Amino acid sequence: NAGVTQTPKFRILKIGQSMTLQCAQDMNHNYMYWYRQDPGMGLKLIYYSVGAGITDKGEVPNGYNVSRSTTEDFPLRLELAAPSQTSVYFCASRSERAYANYGYTFGSGTRLTVV
Amino acid sequence: KNEVEQSPQNLTAQEGEFITINCSYSVGISALHWLQQHPGGGIVSLFMLSSGKKKHGRLIATINIQEKHSSLHITASHPRDSAVYICAVPAGGNKLVFGAGTILRVKS
């Protein structure tokens, strides 16, 4: 099925460990986003990309890195995990055409716990 | 920066009731999004609207651009409608700012 695929679904990290959250979409969307969701809070934008080779910071980029070498893939890297990064992470994508007319497609989320 | 406020934060309804969730924002926008987050965590885009009203099944979304306000209505609510409903508006560039969500529980 077409959509946004995120892996893994769950992960427990120890403080200081590193990991990469994977995100892939097969809809040929240029725009891709990484959000984190903390309890009782709205989704916060970490990083986004408007096309292969182009990335930019969102509201809460500290502690994360991204790359966009292909249209399909947008991995999120945590270099030195901290307890403050315990959250649920969502990847999303959308078409570049007429922003106001097209919705977003979200991945199923990655629940990350840093202990 | 656009601020988004949703009300109520929590809502419990009996099956069959008419439900209204509200969203207000501070800066004029081109379009507003309503999203649904299932208990399992997945997020689905319900509506994107820039004026008037949109309807999909038992869900109706309205927006008043002048008043900077949108409502999401659910008619004949059902326990399967239990979810978190989130509104989001543009934050400049290619980004959205999200409300904190309304937690809806429909009891049978």
Side-chain angles (χ1 to χ4, degrees):
Chain A
N1 291 334
V4 177
T5 302
Q6 278 186 248
T7 56
K9 292 192 185 304
F10 304 93
R11 184 72 185 268
I12 298 174
L13 279 182
K14 293 185 178 178
I15 294 172
Q17 284 186 322
S18 301
M19 78 164 293
T20 298
L21 282 66
Q22 301 291 345
C23 176
Q25 53 89 10
D26 58 2
M27 298 169 285
N28 203 33
H29 285 173
N30 279 341
Y31 292 83
M32 296 187 75
Y33 305 81
W34 273 107
Y35 296 96
R36 59 176 287 171
Q37 185 181 41
D38 300 314
M41 308 286 288
L43 290 153
K44 300 291 186 188
L45 181 64
I46 305 171
Y47 270 95
Y48 69 103
S49 169
V50 300
I54 306 169
T55 62
D56 207 348
K57 296 177 181 179
E59 297 175 79
V60 290
N62 292 343
Y64 307 95
N65 277 299
V66 293
S67 59
R68 185 93 182 272
S69 56
T70 66
T71 299
E72 294 76 21
D73 300 299
F74 190 41
L76 178 72
R77 178 84 177 160
L78 283 71
E79 290 295 347
L80 292 169
S84 61
Q85 293 177 305
T86 293
S87 188
V88 181
Y89 292 83
F90 288 95
C91 179
S93 73
R94 69 169 178 90
S95 167
E96 67 180 338
R97 289 184 296 160
Y99 159 74
N101 295 323
Y102 292 88
Y104 286 64
T105 301
F106 285 82
S108 57
T110 296
R111 186 174 295 273
L112 175 66
T113 302
V114 181
V115 296
Chain B
K1 179 183 174 182
N2 217 341
E3 303 287 341
V4 180
E5 296 286 338
Q6 282 188 242
S7 63
Q9 290 184 324
N10 290 279
L11 180 57
T12 299
Q14 284 296 130
E15 183 174 359
E17 285 186 357
F18 180 85
I19 289 164
T20 296
I21 298 169
N22 297 298
C23 176
S24 297
Y25 50 93
S26 56
V27 178
I29 58 170
S30 56
L32 178 142
H33 299 254
W34 280 104
L35 308 166
Q36 180 192 54
Q37 185 169 24
H38 300 294
I43 298 175
V44 175
S45 180
L46 294 175
F47 294 103
M48 187 166 31
L49 67 166
S50 55
S51 65
K53 178 169 73 174
K54 283 191 176 181
K55 185 174 187 289
H56 185 229
R58 294 179 295 105
L59 299 176
I60 303 166
T62 64
I63 189 167
N64 185 318
I65 295 292
Q66 287 73 32
E67 295 187 3
K68 299 185 180 63
H69 180 268
S70 176
S71 293
L72 177 68
H73 306 285
I74 304 175
T75 62
S77 59
H78 190 276
R80 64 174 174 267
D81 297 325
S82 298
V84 179
Y85 292 85
I86 302 168
C87 72
V89 300
N94 302 295
K95 297 168 280 188
L96 293 178
V97 61
F98 294 81
T102 294
I103 302 170
L104 171 65
R105 181 183 170 210
V106 181
K107 296 194 289 186
S108 57

